[in-house]
Structures are given as C-alpha cells and as structure tokens.
Amino acid sequence: MARGYQHNFSSLPAGSYDEQGRERKAQTMVAVLQDHFKRPLADLNVLNVGSSVGIIDNYLANHFRSVTGIDIDAPAIEKSQSRFIKTNLKFQTGDALNLDFADASFDVVICSQVYEHVPDPEKMMREINRVLIPGGACYFAAGNRLMWNEPHYNLPLLSVLPRPLAHLYVRIAKKASHYHELHYTYFGLKKLAGNFAVNDYTKKVVDDPAKFHTQYMLPPGSKKARIAKLITHRIMWLSPGFIWILTKPITAR
C-alpha cells in the first residue's frame, strides 16, 4: 500500500489532542530553544511544520517575533485561523515536502512528531534546511521505532512490526484501516538529520525536568524518572523519543 498523507489527521482517533498536553510541549520547546540560543527569542521568526489545530503555535507566539504554522490538513488550519488571532501569528495550508517559502526565511523551524506522518521524511528535512537561515535551528522531536507503546494508537509494539502485520494489528484492534505512520530507529534518525549539526537535548531534558517543564512526565524521584535517566545515560538508542536541536551550518551543505 502506497504511503501518503492523512489530510484529515486532526479528525481521526489517532489525531486526537488535548490543549494542556500541547501547551506543555510548547513550554518545553521554548525552554530548549532559549537554552540553545541564549539570547532573546523575541528576535526570532518561527515556522512550525505540522501545526495541526494551532495550540502550540498560539503559545509560541507569546515568545517569538513571529510564528507561522503550516499543515496539509486544511480543516485543522481553518480551525486555527478562526480560533487564534494575534498580529504575529498566521496559519496556512502547506505541504512539508514543498514549503512555500524562500530560502533562508526562518530562524527556527519546529518539527515535532511529524516525520513519521509524511511520505518522504528525507525531502522534508531538505526543505527545512533550505528555509532556515545559516546558523538557524530546527527543534526536532521524534519517536523511536523501538518503542514499547505506539502513542498514536496506544498499541504495544506496533511500530516494530513489519508493515503487513502492523496493518493487520490496527484493523484487528479497530483503531484504523491501516497503519500509516512509519518510525525510524535512533540510527535512522541520525541519518535523517545528516545535513545538520545535532545537539541532543534528550538527556538534558530528562536530567532537569524542572528547567524544561517535563515534571508531568518525569516526576522527580519517581521510578519512571530513574528509568529514563538510565536509558538516556547508558542506552540512548532505546529511548522511546528524542529532542534534538538541529543546526544548519553557516556554510550550508
């Protein structure tokens, strides 16, 4: 089965969302980017690739000079445009594989949990590289194929199965007609980010949940927090997810 876009992803069970959860993700984005740039974020222009219903973009607009959210899901963009109105915030329907922006248009690109949804992640990353200014940064949050539980469908080991079995699994579980998402391993993701300098923030976020606003996931002193530290310090390739800052070289490759 050819793997294409889910143009109505926000309306599907796997695309369900909660406002608090997305605002928490946005808080982490701001904290990580502030730590990376170490200068006022209010000077920076942001593109969010895969903005969905705009909750994250609305939060980011409180911290950056401008925020542009794009998504191929037209109903989600329409909802964003009607709900979130700020002078430095705009939304438009757009294709991550063919970004409708000039070269070097943005200081920051957000690409959070998006790569597994597009039919050609390599092309998307080339487009992100193109629209970033030299020295600009991509906030890249990504799931690991070697995860215990696939979060879009809440099914154990779904992402590690061969595609025919994965399609059958989601149908039997009555979650979807087929499994659209395709996750990469840690090593596949490193290859995907090959045109960037990678600053892995995963360990930093786990080690300091207060600074990066992840206490809700990793309560200090909890068993979950201890396991997360063990994995990120000893066997990073088994971490269920990663947060990277991908920097475009001053001399672009």
Side-chain angles (χ1 to χ4, degrees), residues 13-243:
S16 63
Y17 64 93
D18 70 279
E19 190 156 346
Q20 183 184 50
R22 295 207 170 204
E23 286 192 349
R24 283 171 167 171
K25 288 183 178 181
Q27 285 182 311
T28 299
M29 291 174 187
V30 170
V32 168
L33 288 164
Q34 183 65 76
D35 187 80
H36 171 74
F37 281 104
K38 295 180 172 60
R39 63 187 177 93
L41 299 182
D43 296 337
L44 305 177
N45 299 310
V46 176
L47 171 66
N48 184 13
V49 176
S51 60
S52 189
V53 291
I55 297 168
I56 287 174
D57 309 72
N58 183 60
Y59 184 92
L60 296 177
N62 296 328
H63 298 272
F64 292 89
R65 176 190 290 166
S66 72
V67 176
T68 301
I70 70 157
D71 204 293
I72 205 164
D73 185 342
I77 290 296
E78 291 173 6
K79 185 179 294 186
S80 303
Q81 290 170 331
S82 64
R83 185 178 179 192
F84 301 117
I85 301 173
K86 292 178 178 176
T87 57
N88 67 333
L89 175 62
K90 66 177 180 179
F91 299 95
Q92 64 188 66
T93 305
D95 185 346
L97 306 188
N98 295 283
L99 296 174
D100 190 21
F101 304 101
D103 296 359
S105 294
F106 297 94
D107 304 288
V108 177
V109 175
I110 305 292
C111 184
S112 179
Q113 312 299 335
V114 173
Y115 86 89
E116 70 270 23
H117 297 289
V118 301
D120 190 343
E122 288 77 14
K123 186 175 182 183
M124 179 187 72
M125 297 307 290
R126 291 195 296 270
E127 280 291 275
I128 289 173
N129 188 292
R130 180 183 65 79
V131 301
L132 274 173
I133 66 167
C138 173
Y139 176 98
F140 186 71
N144 184 356
R145 184 178 181 184
L146 303 181
M147 67 179 86
W148 166 251
N149 193 61
E150 213 287 359
H152 300 97
Y153 304 97
N154 195 29
L155 291 174
L157 301 176
L158 172 62
S159 59
V160 303
L161 291 175
R163 301 304 285 176
L165 288 179
H167 296 324
L168 180 62
Y169 189 10
V170 295
R171 285 197 293 271
I172 291 174
K174 298 182 179 180
K175 298 285 188 174
S177 60
H178 73 283
Y179 182 42
H180 173 86
E181 291 76 13
L182 181 60
H183 289 87
Y184 290 8
T185 65
Y186 171 79
F187 303 103
L189 290 169
K190 291 296 287 285
K191 184 177 179 180
L192 181 64
N195 287 332
F196 298 87
V198 179
N199 185 352
D200 193 339
Y201 264 81
T202 313
K203 186 187 299 183
K204 299 176 186 177
V205 170
V206 168
D207 286 350
D208 197 346
K211 178 177 181 178
F212 296 106
H213 305 286
T214 56
Q215 304 99 315
Y216 67 98
M217 289 193 301
L218 302 168
S222 67
K223 181 179 179 180
K224 187 176 181 181
R226 293 194 298 272
I227 292 172
K229 284 188 177 183
L230 174 65
I231 291 172
T232 55
H233 283 261
R234 300 287 182 87
I235 42 177
M236 180 66 82
W237 56 274
L238 275 182
S239 175
F242 310 99
I243 295 177

